[in-house]
Amino acid sequence: MTDLPLNRYAQEDWDRLAARQARQQRIVQIVLYVTLTILVIVYSMPSIGVLITSFKSNAEISRAGLWSAPAQLNFANYEEAWVNGNVRTYALNSFLVTIPATALSIALGVLLGYVFSQMPFRGSEALFIVIVAGMFFPPQIVLVPLFRLFNTIGLYDTLWPMIIVHVAFGLPICTLITRNFFATVPSALREAAIIDGANEGQILVQVMLPISLPALAVLATLQFTWIWNDFLWPLIFTQSDSSRTIMVGLITLKGQYSVAWGVQGAMSVIASLPTLFIFIFFQRYFISGLTLGAVKG
Amino acid sequence: MARSQRLWRIGFLAIPLTLYFMIVIVPLVYSFFFSLTDWNGFNPEYNFVGLGNFERIFSDPLFGNAIKNTVIWIAIALTVPFLGGLGLALILHQGLRGANLYKSLFYLPICLSLAVIGQIWIWIYQPRWGLLNLTLNGIGLEDATRAWLGDPHTALAAVMLAWVWQQLGLGMVIFLAGLTSVPTELTDAAQIDGANYWQNLRYVVVPLLQPSTVVVVALAVINSLKSFDIVYIMTGGGPFHSSDTLAMFMYDESFKKYYMGYGSAISVVLFLIALVVIAFYFRQIRALERIYD
């Protein structure tokens, strides 16, 4: 009888405390949301600016500046950028480099990753490190010799040097990710296949690859994005318009459209569309690639 | 059986290893070789100049300048994207509703090319129409407006800001991945023991984020050493070399002035610096594997 009021007080205290905590938490949350929203708006301004400018006519830009919302969606800049034959050539070249280089770097990386994870040999650990270290090499350290090499064998100013170099420089990340993925596959799977009389080639193609599709998707999104966005190699290895890729082409055309801001904006958007597509539809793979490649060596 | 296995192994290794050695390792060795010559990029012939290029490097004020700028670049890369990325990751990891949308907007710049990012930011710094000067005018700071990329005092900072804009998302992504691997039992236990949010962060979460930290640090330094595209597009290293980085300086000497021998010597220095980072990275990763395995 006597302890009932005590309990009631305790209960009320408790409720008050909980209510206060909930209130505090809500305030913290609101502050976080407001801060984040402001941050994100500021952070997105550059991208938004380009996007809206690409829809504005020159007259509108000179009247209202770069950063106002367009009065109407005007696709003339896109038309101008696209009708200009060079942009199409650049984009086509970018695809001609990016697709084979992405596919080949993954295919060859799979071979290395398979050997390093399933059939290690003496010194394979050291070799693995030498290859993965390539991920960290600034390309400048091989610029001069590669420039000389491709000049000597007559491939300068073609698409080949870019394909070859991107495959070679893609091997570190492809090897790392496939090796780490294959290492998680239970060895019983491979042993069973060996007992069934399968050779290593069959194990790789029929056992390993079908279960590695997520890892391959990760690599495809990563490699496509890096290669498409690359600027340095085409700058070094190409000279004529017919072999430029889009990122270098973009900078080349800038002079031609130096006052046509809208066209410049449209070209930037066009050049970013393929990687934006990947970002929107395959974001999960792309993001896990960024962290997978990173988190374990 | 063992023999056929060996054959398969050789078969698997042959093409990728040949390619890797031909395109990465052998040219690397050749860079050391060319750094001892006066090759000009056109003539097939060249002369050996011994360590002449290296003597020149250490008396070249432009090289000192590029080193200084690269060190500044690394210092910024180790603070802003690092702390900013960690901060954003901590906030966005709390399970706020709509966190995914915020995350996406923060890592959108990672998928953009530095060529495009350079273009975008040139607009922001544009003296008359650029967003930065417009904003400063709008809030009554007319005196602070300037040609950000044309002013030797601000060019480097302006280029770095554009770069940081992209790298911030990368730091955030890696720390977010690290945070998902922090077991909630540990943070809950610390909370029950009376740790407040900051103590929890300092003594439980941050130590457990060490693998991510190693990666973010290594990437920050390496990406700083690679910083070329955005410098080339925004300022070309100018004005008056005020925004030159090592990578930019190497390109200028080799492919603008055609001192390919000298450029190779610069690339050798660049490689030696990268080697330190690579050694750090692998040592740390090894140590972590020993702890976690």
Side-chain angles (χ1 to χ4, degrees):
Chain A
M1 192 66 201
T2 46
D3 62 358
L4 198 66
L6 251 178
N7 250 348
R8 204 175 62 227
Y9 286 130
Q11 186 61 40
E12 276 172 10
D13 277 349
W14 182 250
D15 285 350
R16 246 200 324 268
L17 194 71
R20 200 169 63 204
Q21 259 186 351
R23 216 167 31 241
Q24 267 176 353
Q25 223 163 26
R26 211 167 315 133
I27 292 172
V28 168
Q29 270 207 345
I30 290 171
V31 170
L32 277 182
Y33 268 119
V34 172
T35 322
L36 271 178
T37 308
I38 295 173
L39 264 178
V40 132
I41 290 174
V42 172
Y43 201 75
S44 308
M45 274 312 276
S47 327
I48 296 170
V50 170
L51 197 62
I52 59 182
T53 304
S54 70
F55 290 113
K56 289 193 286 196
S57 66
N58 265 353
E60 193 182 348
I61 293 172
S62 52
R63 195 176 56 243
L66 287 176
W67 307 94
S68 61
Q72 77 225 35
L73 286 188
N74 173 352
F75 285 90
N77 296 322
Y78 286 91
E79 221 178 290
E80 170 62 30
W82 193 245
V83 168
N84 181 322
N86 286 340
V87 175
R88 268 174 297 169
T89 312
Y90 300 152
L92 180 67
N93 284 340
S94 277
F95 278 114
L96 287 176
V97 168
T98 308
I99 292 172
T102 300
L104 273 174
S105 62
I106 296 172
L108 297 181
V110 161
L111 293 178
L112 289 180
Y114 184 79
V115 172
F116 287 130
S117 69
Q118 306 297 319
M119 0 173 32
F121 51 96
R122 202 135 56 94
S124 69
E125 190 63 10
L127 186 61
F128 174 71
I129 287 182
V130 169
I131 290 175
V132 173
M135 218 159 51
F136 296 111
F137 289 169
Q140 272 75 11
I141 62 181
V142 290
L143 228 48
V144 167
L146 286 180
F147 174 75
R148 190 178 162 95
L149 170 74
F150 289 119
N151 257 318
T152 312
I153 59 178
L155 290 179
Y156 179 73
D157 207 23
T158 67
L159 300 180
W160 288 106
M162 292 176 275
I163 299 176
I164 295 169
V165 168
H166 277 304
V167 174
F169 272 85
L171 285 177
I173 185 75
C174 294
T175 307
L176 175 66
I177 288 186
T178 50
R179 185 204 73 148
N180 287 353
F181 186 85
F182 289 152
T184 63
V185 176
S187 54
L189 222 54
R190 177 163 173 270
E191 280 152 20
I194 290 178
I195 291 167
D196 288 346
N199 62 39
E200 299 291 346
Q202 287 166 325
I203 298 173
L204 175 59
V205 174
Q206 290 166 9
V207 180
M208 292 302 215
L209 283 188
I211 54 173
S212 320
L213 289 180
L216 300 184
V218 163
L219 284 173
T221 55
L222 269 190
Q223 282 295 91
F224 186 95
T225 304
W226 300 153
I227 300 173
W228 181 272
N229 284 343
D230 177 49
F231 179 78
L232 177 63
W233 297 120
L235 182 71
I236 302 288
F237 295 138
T238 62
Q239 190 179 31
S240 56
D241 258 350
S242 58
S243 50
R244 282 209 178 102
T245 57
I246 189 122
M247 291 310 162
V248 171
L250 199 65
I251 303 303
T252 319
L253 279 178
K254 213 177 89 181
Q256 192 179 326
Y257 291 104
S258 56
V259 284
W261 300 83
V263 180
Q264 279 191 37
M267 290 193 307
S268 289
V269 174
I270 292 176
S272 307
L273 280 181
T275 51
L276 280 176
F277 178 83
I278 285 182
F279 176 77
I280 291 166
F281 294 102
F282 300 101
Q283 194 180 97
R284 198 159 53 91
Y285 296 113
F286 183 68
I287 298 298
S288 68
L290 288 177
T291 50
L292 259 181
V295 173
K296 211 161 180 257
Chain B
M1 170 90 169
R3 209 179 92 93
S4 95
Q5 252 210 349
R6 212 170 307 138
L7 282 178
W8 276 107
R9 184 190 290 138
I10 294 169
F12 282 177
L13 292 178
I15 296 176
L17 277 191
T18 309
L19 184 74
Y20 187 75
F21 277 87
M22 266 180 51
I23 301 299
V24 182
I25 302 298
V26 174
L28 180 58
V29 176
Y30 259 96
S31 274
F32 279 81
F33 174 79
F34 281 127
S35 74
L36 306 174
T37 72
D38 64 353
W39 189 44
N40 68 6
F42 295 112
N43 289 356
E45 293 89 33
Y46 43 79
N47 303 306
F48 281 97
V49 294
L51 293 174
N53 286 325
F54 290 95
E55 276 167 30
R56 191 174 142 199
I57 274 187
F58 292 109
S59 59
D60 186 348
L62 289 182
F63 177 79
N65 170 63
I67 286 276
K68 187 196 80 191
N69 287 344
T70 305
V71 169
I72 296 175
W73 196 296
I74 292 173
I76 296 293
L78 283 176
T79 44
V80 184
F82 181 85
L83 294 177
L86 179 60
L88 281 177
L90 286 170
I91 293 173
L92 290 171
H93 187 63
Q94 307 208 332
L96 291 176
R97 211 153 357 125
N100 280 335
L101 178 66
Y102 289 108
K103 284 182 205 169
S104 295
L105 288 170
F106 279 115
Y107 45 57
L108 175 72
I110 308 177
C111 80
L112 297 180
S113 168
L114 282 167
V116 170
I117 292 176
Q119 293 265 62
I120 296 178
W121 282 80
I122 287 174
W123 288 15
I124 292 189
Y125 296 126
Q126 213 275 339
R128 273 182 56 207
W129 289 349
L131 190 60
L132 186 53
N133 279 355
L134 284 182
T135 311
L136 288 173
N137 278 327
I139 56 176
L141 290 171
E142 288 88 356
D143 293 346
T145 61
R146 62 182 78 206
W148 298 95
L149 294 172
D151 185 333
H153 297 293
T154 52
L156 180 68
V159 175
M160 276 194 298
L161 181 62
W163 182 79
V164 163
W165 180 69
Q166 186 195 38
Q167 297 290 309
L168 187 65
L170 187 61
M172 184 193 77
V173 167
I174 294 170
F175 278 125
L176 270 173
L179 281 173
T180 54
S181 68
V182 172
T184 45
E185 297 92 55
L186 288 184
T187 47
D188 287 348
Q191 212 167 11
I192 289 166
D193 287 346
N196 64 28
Y197 178 78
W198 298 107
Q199 287 168 329
N200 216 330
L201 195 62
R202 168 74 185 78
Y203 297 105
V204 182
V205 178
V206 168
L208 283 170
L209 281 180
Q210 207 196 341
S212 312
T213 308
V214 169
V215 171
V216 174
V217 167
L219 277 182
V221 179
I222 284 295
N223 285 343
S224 303
L225 292 177
K226 287 180 179 174
S227 56
F228 166 79
D229 307 24
I230 198 153
V231 181
Y232 178 92
I233 287 155
M234 293 182 74
T235 63
F240 312 117
H241 295 278
S242 59
S243 56
D244 245 358
T245 58
L246 264 186
M248 183 69 221
F249 181 58
M250 184 274 163
Y251 173 86
D252 253 359
E253 294 294 325
S254 315
F255 292 91
K256 283 261 167 68
K257 302 183 185 163
Y258 295 104
Y259 297 141
M260 297 234 172
Y262 187 49
S264 297
I266 302 167
S267 70
V268 165
V269 174
L270 198 56
F271 174 69
L272 295 178
I273 301 174
L275 211 54
V276 175
V277 184
I278 294 167
F280 159 82
Y281 176 78
F282 280 106
R283 261 193 52 176
Q284 294 291 317
I285 290 288
R286 273 293 135 81
L288 288 170
E289 272 179 355
R290 265 203 299 279
I291 295 170
Y292 286 102
D293 281 354

